[in-house]
Amino acid sequence: MRRCGTMPTMLMYPQIDPVALQIGPLAVHWYGLTYLAAFGLFLWLGTRRLRHPPFVRMQGDRAWTRKDVEDILFLGVLGVVVGGRLGYCLFYKPGYYLSHPLEIFYVWQGGMSFHGGLVGVIASMVWFARSRARSWLEVADFVAPCVPTGLAAGRVGNFINGELWGRFASPELPWAMVFPQSGSMLPRHPSQVYQFLLEGLLLFVLLWLYARKEHKPGQVAAVFLVGYGAFRFIAEYFREPDDFLGLLSLGMSMGQWLCVPMVIGGIAMWFWAAGRPAYPAQAGKPA
């Protein structure tokens, strides 16, 4: 990473080629590789999640297996893609896509929403839970700690693509970075890195440690909602809002407004779950 010649106290975005490998007409993009990394990390962590209580003691028809992890991953990928795309169209550009409905399917043009993807993943978990006669809360508790590393991988892809840059920063900030593709040579916060560290690595560490001990059904998933919502809300103060939306009421971005119900819902869910029965000691039947 090199220093900007005219502004020696700031970093210049390194202009990484988004194509990792070119074989004739076939181009393998770094962003696609980060998705593959996210899916691989989920599979790896999911197999280790099988050793955590209460899943480790579930037996017979209630036992969790690697096949269950693979099936959840497949359904989750569908939920992320479909929900993420529809969420972006509905949350960020509803008027445009109502006028151009066919462009909803133009996923190669970009435009995905985490919050829409979350709704899609929830729908996929409901489907999985019903198909296996499991409690939805049990499935959500299993999945939640395996998600943040995938979010971290996605933020690496955002940085490589030079997208979702931050708001203007003081030149005195040692890690302030110039993103020429933003149309400005002024220093900005590398908000992709902030999100990688907060809602990716830090959330993973906290949630994984929390989930290693047994809690009431739904509490692990609730901590994920609160943790992601809080960290994303903080990171949004450093991330440049979408130019076609800007800041909304109370000076908050769309991302922040979408995080508010996540945090409130997660807190309510945690306290609601605290009053419910624990997972059975002999986990041979649905919780």
Side-chain angles (χ1 to χ4, degrees), residues 33-44:
L33 292 178
T34 62
Y35 267 75
L36 289 178
F39 301 149
L41 285 167
F42 181 94
L43 187 62
W44 183 71

Side-chain angles (χ1 to χ4, degrees), residues 218-255:
Q219 287 191 312
V220 174
V223 170
F224 171 81
L225 292 175
V226 175
Y228 178 85
F231 288 146
R232 174 69 182 270
F233 189 93
I234 294 170
E236 285 282 330
Y237 278 117
F238 302 96
R239 174 172 160 176
E240 182 74 11
D242 296 283
D243 55 4
F244 55 86
L245 283 177
L247 295 177
L248 306 178
S249 300
L250 303 180
M252 289 164 48
S253 67
M254 174 61 80

Side-chain angles (χ1 to χ4, degrees), residues 194 206 241:
Y194 298 174
L206 296 177

Side-chain angles (χ1 to χ4, degrees), residues 38-59:
F39 301 149
L41 285 167
F42 181 94
L43 187 62
W44 183 71
L45 291 171
T47 58
R48 278 144 186 78
R49 185 86 172 107
L50 297 173
R51 307 172 189 172
H52 293 174
F55 312 104
V56 67
R57 68 169 185 269
M58 293 184 175
Q59 303 172 358

Side-chain angles (χ1 to χ4, degrees), residues 255-274:
Q256 288 176 310
W257 277 111
L258 292 174
C259 285
V260 170
M262 281 188 68
V263 174
I264 295 175
I267 293 173
M269 182 177 176
W270 193 93
F271 282 104
W272 170 79

